[in-house]
Amino acid sequence: MSLMKNQANPWLTSNLLVLGLGMLPALLLIGVLLYFTAWAFAFSFTDLALVGRKSVEWSWVGLQNFERLFTRRGFLESLWTTVIFVFFSAIVGQSVLGFLLAALLRGTQSTIRTVVEVCIMLGWLLPDIVAAFLWSATTSQTGLVNSLIIVPLGFPPVNFINDYALPVVTIANIWKGTAWSYLLFSAALDSVSREVVEAAKVDGATPFQRIWLVMLPIIRPHIATNMLFITIWTFTYFPLIFAMTGGGPGTQTQTLAVFLYNQSFSRGNLGFGSAISVAMLVIVGLLSLVYLRMLREPK
Amino acid sequence: MLRKNLLTTVAAMALAATSAMPAHAEVTIMYAEWLSSLVEPGIKNFEEATGETVNAIKLPGQGYDQRIALDLSAGTAADVIQMDSFMVSELASAGYLHPLNEQGAGWDQFQYYQPGLLEVASYDGQVYGLPTDTDVRMLWYDKSNFEKAGIAVPWEPKSWADVLDAAQKLKDAGVQYFFQLPAGTKQAEAATMQGFYMLLLGADVPEGDRNRLLNRETGQWIGDSPAIRRTLEFYKKVYGELGMPADLNYAADPGVAVREALANDQLGIHASGSWEDACLWDCNGVNLPTREERDAMVGWTPWPGSGEPGAKATTNISGGWTIGVNAKAANPDLAFQLVTTIFDVENFKAWTLANHRMAVRTDISESPEYMEDAYLAKATALAADTTGRDTVPGYQTVSALVQQMTAQILDGAEVEDVVQEYHDALVDEFGEDKVITYE
């Protein structure tokens, strides 16, 4: 507050009423967000159900739901699936691909750049459900991948969704989300001053060294910010996987978000579902702390 | 950002549901796309008769049950709702539905509904939904692929061994989806009813409900039994040993995927139900091939029992859909009027006959057109020995747990572990005293 007072318009700071009114929408929004979070947190200690008697006459069950996260099958398996999905799809796939595209296209002719940009933006702009059907069709046995690549090479058609479900949804999500990382890294690299890069060139640094030793350290905060965003998104990402495979075949692609959906809305166990969401909140919160530490300048 | 994402699954759905609701009072209805040909003419007639406007919310069949349950519990559902009969008691026990007995008494066509079928849509002695149709379940098969595999048509399997034998022959003949047995959570209720329960019923003797999910006498769920284990073993044989690809069960739209497989001549046996006479091509009965074309393409046979001593020779279980009224409906009388307009004999009978559905009303089932339909006559013969779903509160949860069991079998889990987890989950949900095991 004192900081604000020093910087803000003196007319504003002397009119606390106006200031309060101005802050009202933000406070309301925060209140709503907190309300929902508190709701989920409170019900994670109950046996509330979606339908049936327990939707009306629910009771407090203490830590039972959290106990079951670890004593019943499902949560830990889904957590592992989610970790694999996030690691390969977001951290490795989207970030690395986005950065490489941004680095390679820096300073190239605008036409090539525009074509590539339009292509990767398409994935980002398509609605999740459309993308899911598109990828289901592409990877089906009569789909594009089989008819253009696998069959002409003399192999029998591969049933991708059946045999490689997790890699397929991972790749689909890379395709869908790379645009974000690309845009962020493009903007970040534009902020690296040309003189620094030129100086490195004069000193005899190879292109790889210029990226690794000069550009990367400069845009480190951007990398951390990007990681923070895409990790959280991917960790809680639901629509594409759900529409493509519904978590299957079996439970091969059952990430935590799909598991949460199945427990809450198919099995109708909202209390247990809330416990899953609280656990997810804790995990994502811890990950965020790690990234926020990365944001700090090294001592 | 963090919280926003965590809430995406719940809040966005709730918000989407609310934003779909109109701000001013009019009659609203939610129904699945595949029932359009029954609901939409009814809406039109209702609007003409009353001058009211109906806000129709047509939803995809995929995930429909979850959407209805969620909207009703959030208080954002429409006035009139189509729902699967297995959900009625569960929704009614939570106080989400409006009882219909009183209004029904004042409707001249209410008397024709068969009491047994009204019971399915009842809770605590009150009717909460009017059935659209009932069904039987059977094994459909593609005749051309059977000929290719050298299996005699008409196919009349007498035991599970015969079914597996045919599946093996179809596989050897190169039929990609040689035995589509519904499994897993994405198939939802279809996995429970068309797959698991049809096997379970023939897996052991009927005495003491040893071949069911629920002991109906004591009201206890069966957490472990030889029948459950045999059923899971059968799943393991089909998806494990025989290597049936599981992807149809997890396609973006499983119904569409099965139809596509049939059209591409990739389907062998398909465990499904009587509605497939239309639904294999189009659930709303548009662009159906002629009777001759259909009979040349596919045939069906009753599900045989396992062949265990004392088990049933053929099995069957019936479900069906209903239309009911939301307890929160602004004007229950107007809402019920919409229901009765949809079910008015002229509209209802035409739909039943065009789609070869099994009638739930005597004024339709005893009409000459219905009695002369050869397909319906044969299918109705199966209904003589049918059994009802366990339409008691808790069934929806148990059904979801059954689907999880089949999903784990697809993952290659051992039957022993899967049953143990199922038992524990039942105890979690209902308590020790409500779960029994059979040796």
Side-chain angles (χ1 to χ4, degrees):
Chain A
M1 198 67 192
S2 63
L3 179 81
M4 231 172 66
K5 270 199 163 152
N6 295 338
Q7 293 176 341
N9 181 320
W11 174 83
L12 254 185
T13 48
S14 59
N15 276 291
L16 278 179
L17 181 71
V18 177
L19 196 67
L21 280 175
M23 281 166 70
L24 205 58
L27 287 174
L28 272 177
L29 182 70
I30 292 167
V32 168
L33 290 175
L34 281 176
Y35 166 78
F36 278 118
T37 316
W39 189 95
F41 188 75
F43 280 116
S44 68
F45 300 100
T46 69
D47 63 357
L48 179 78
L50 184 69
V51 293
R53 296 253 27 104
K54 280 186 186 169
S55 63
V56 195
E57 300 166 7
W58 51 268
S59 49
W60 297 96
V61 295
L63 290 168
Q64 199 183 60
N65 288 324
F66 291 96
E67 236 170 85
R68 283 178 193 163
L69 289 179
F70 302 99
T71 55
R72 298 282 182 264
R73 204 187 122 110
F75 177 76
L76 293 174
E77 287 79 1
S78 301
L79 178 59
W80 178 237
T81 308
T82 311
V83 168
I84 294 173
F85 180 67
V86 169
F87 183 79
F88 285 102
S89 187
I91 297 173
V92 176
Q94 291 178 11
S95 285
V96 173
L97 192 64
F99 179 80
L100 285 178
L101 283 170
L104 291 173
L105 291 173
R106 250 185 116 228
T108 48
Q109 284 170 4
S110 57
T111 39
I112 301 174
R113 196 170 167 157
T114 311
V115 169
V116 174
E117 276 181 0
V118 166
C119 287
I120 53 176
M121 288 297 279
L122 271 180
W124 198 34
L125 294 175
L126 272 187
D128 290 313
I129 301 297
V130 178
F133 274 85
L134 192 145
W135 275 91
S136 295
T138 307
T139 54
S140 77
Q141 282 172 284
T142 49
L144 207 62
V145 181
N146 273 309
S147 48
L148 280 188
I149 303 166
I150 311 282
V151 177
L153 288 177
F155 296 103
V158 179
N159 189 344
F160 285 100
I161 293 277
N162 191 58
D163 303 342
Y164 306 103
L166 194 53
V168 168
V169 293
T170 303
I171 291 167
N173 192 43
I174 293 173
W175 173 85
K176 186 131 187 41
T178 299
W180 167 269
S181 296
Y182 167 80
L183 289 175
L184 197 135
F185 286 132
S186 283
L189 289 174
D190 285 344
S191 70
V192 177
S193 76
R194 288 207 163 278
E195 289 82 4
V196 180
V197 184
E198 291 298 325
K201 207 170 171 176
V202 171
D203 288 341
T206 59
F208 175 75
Q209 284 174 318
R210 289 203 294 275
I211 290 179
W212 190 252
L213 298 171
V214 180
M215 291 185 191
L216 272 179
I218 294 175
I219 64 163
R220 205 174 49 85
H222 300 96
I223 297 174
T225 308
N226 184 48
M227 288 287 191
L228 180 70
F229 279 149
I230 62 176
T231 304
I232 293 170
W233 281 336
T234 314
F235 195 88
T236 57
Y237 190 48
F238 176 77
L240 185 72
I241 296 186
F242 187 74
M244 264 182 89
T245 64
T251 57
Q252 283 179 54
T253 53
Q254 185 172 270
T255 56
L256 281 172
V258 177
F259 181 61
L260 171 76
Y261 174 92
N262 282 336
Q263 293 299 314
S264 302
F265 307 126
S266 301
R267 187 175 166 179
N269 198 331
L270 286 180
F272 187 59
S274 301
I276 299 167
S277 64
V278 169
M280 285 170 78
L281 187 76
V282 170
I283 296 166
V284 173
L286 290 174
L287 279 172
S288 308
L289 285 178
V290 172
Y291 286 129
L292 290 172
R293 289 191 73 89
M294 266 175 66
L295 271 172
R296 289 191 206 147
E297 286 301 320
K299 298 232 165 41
Chain B
M1 182 55 73
L2 179 99
R3 292 188 187 86
K4 194 190 118 209
N5 272 285
L6 266 168
L7 288 164
T8 310
T9 33
V10 182
M13 283 177 155
L15 285 173
T18 13
S19 62
M21 299 306 297
H24 57 289
E26 55 179 3
V27 187
T28 54
I29 177 166
M30 276 177 167
Y31 60 100
E33 176 277 328
W34 56 262
L35 201 69
S36 304
S37 54
L38 171 67
V39 173
E40 282 163 13
I43 293 176
K44 203 168 123 276
N45 296 342
F46 174 82
E47 284 181 332
E48 279 165 12
T50 60
E52 300 277 343
T53 42
V54 173
N55 182 347
I57 303 160
K58 180 158 45 173
L59 298 164
Q62 184 64 48
Y64 182 84
D65 294 344
Q66 284 87 349
R67 170 73 192 263
I68 291 298
L70 191 63
D71 280 3
L72 280 165
S73 67
T76 54
D79 301 339
V80 178
I81 314 130
Q82 174 205 339
M83 50 204 157
D84 201 337
S85 56
F86 80 89
M87 294 173 73
V88 174
S89 65
E90 200 112 47
L91 296 170
S93 70
Y96 298 151
L97 300 178
H98 176 81
L100 305 175
N101 294 47
E102 214 170 297
Q103 290 161 307
W107 178 43
D108 59 351
Q109 293 173 34
F110 191 62
Q111 55 182 317
Y112 299 119
Y113 283 92
Q114 294 170 28
L117 290 164
L118 283 178
E119 192 138 322
V120 169
S122 301
Y123 172 73
D124 237 359
Q126 285 275 5
V127 177
Y128 286 94
L130 295 181
T132 60
D133 64 321
T134 184
D135 50 37
V136 291
R137 282 159 178 72
M138 61 274 255
L139 294 170
W140 291 83
Y141 58 94
D142 183 310
K143 288 181 174 170
S144 65
N145 280 333
F146 265 56
E147 271 158 42
K148 200 163 87 179
I151 307 166
V153 171
W155 181 47
E156 285 164 351
K158 294 281 174 274
S159 67
W160 287 0
D162 291 353
V163 177
L164 291 169
D165 181 57
Q168 179 72 58
K169 283 182 179 151
L170 288 160
K171 185 193 172 181
D172 295 342
V175 180
Q176 163 111 40
Y177 299 109
F178 48 86
F179 184 14
Q180 174 50 27
L181 176 68
T185 48
K186 190 155 184 174
Q187 283 272 23
E189 194 57 16
T192 311
M193 288 285 277
Q194 278 86 278
F196 195 90
Y197 228 135
M198 289 298 286
L199 285 158
L200 188 72
L201 286 164
D204 204 347
V205 297
E207 284 75 43
D209 283 345
R210 289 178 66 89
N211 64 341
R212 297 185 70 97
L213 295 171
L214 175 78
N215 181 327
R216 288 167 296 178
E217 200 122 306
T218 62
Q220 291 166 305
W221 297 101
I222 299 161
D224 185 359
S225 72
I228 290 175
R229 286 166 185 260
R230 283 173 199 149
T231 300
L232 292 172
E233 291 289 355
F234 188 91
Y235 267 95
K236 223 174 160 57
K237 282 201 181 95
V238 173
Y239 285 103
E241 283 170 44
L242 287 174
M244 166 73 192
D247 57 299
L248 290 185
N249 299 300
Y250 290 95
D253 186 331
V256 168
V258 168
R259 284 203 291 277
E260 210 176 323
L262 177 81
N264 296 337
D265 228 13
Q266 294 174 311
L267 199 62
I269 308 164
H270 175 35
S272 195
S274 50
W275 57 88
E276 296 290 13
D277 195 55
C279 287
L280 268 177
W281 293 273
D282 179 352
C283 261
N284 282 309
V286 188
N287 313 322
L288 286 187
T290 63
R291 166 61 48 206
E292 290 71 32
E293 284 169 327
R294 272 181 278 173
D295 286 345
M297 219 184 301
V298 296
W300 60 268
T301 181
W303 253 105
S306 58
E308 290 284 333
K312 293 173 85 76
T314 61
T315 63
N316 196 7
I317 188 161
S318 292
W321 286 74
T322 65
I323 299 180
V325 175
N326 187 343
K328 286 197 163 136
N331 186 337
D333 288 334
L334 208 56
F336 187 70
Q337 196 183 339
L338 174 57
V339 176
T340 57
T341 314
I342 290 170
F343 285 129
D344 185 67
V345 66
E346 211 167 306
N347 181 40
F348 196 18
K349 187 171 165 182
W351 174 82
T352 304
L353 291 169
N355 292 283
H356 297 273
R357 296 275 176 165
M358 294 177 67
V360 289
R361 268 169 43 175
T362 51
D363 57 343
I364 297 173
S365 64
E366 287 166 11
S367 69
E369 305 95 308
Y370 187 89
M371 311 248 282
E372 283 157 19
D373 188 302
Y375 169 76
L376 286 168
K378 257 181 87 178
T380 307
L382 278 187
D385 182 40
T386 195
T387 167
R389 208 161 13 183
D390 306 298
T391 48
V392 295
Y395 172 79
Q396 191 176 336
T397 301
V398 175
S399 177
L401 294 172
V402 165
Q403 293 155 33
Q404 274 181 32
M405 276 205 283
T406 58
Q408 286 174 20
I409 292 289
L410 294 186
D411 281 345
E414 290 308 319
V415 169
E416 180 68 38
D417 303 338
V418 172
V419 173
Q420 185 60 51
E421 274 166 46
Y422 175 68
H423 181 274
D424 292 348
L426 286 177
V427 172
D428 286 351
E429 292 285 350
F430 303 103
E432 284 285 0
D433 56 336
K434 283 273 180 243
V435 183
I436 47 169
T437 58
Y438 284 130
E439 289 303 316

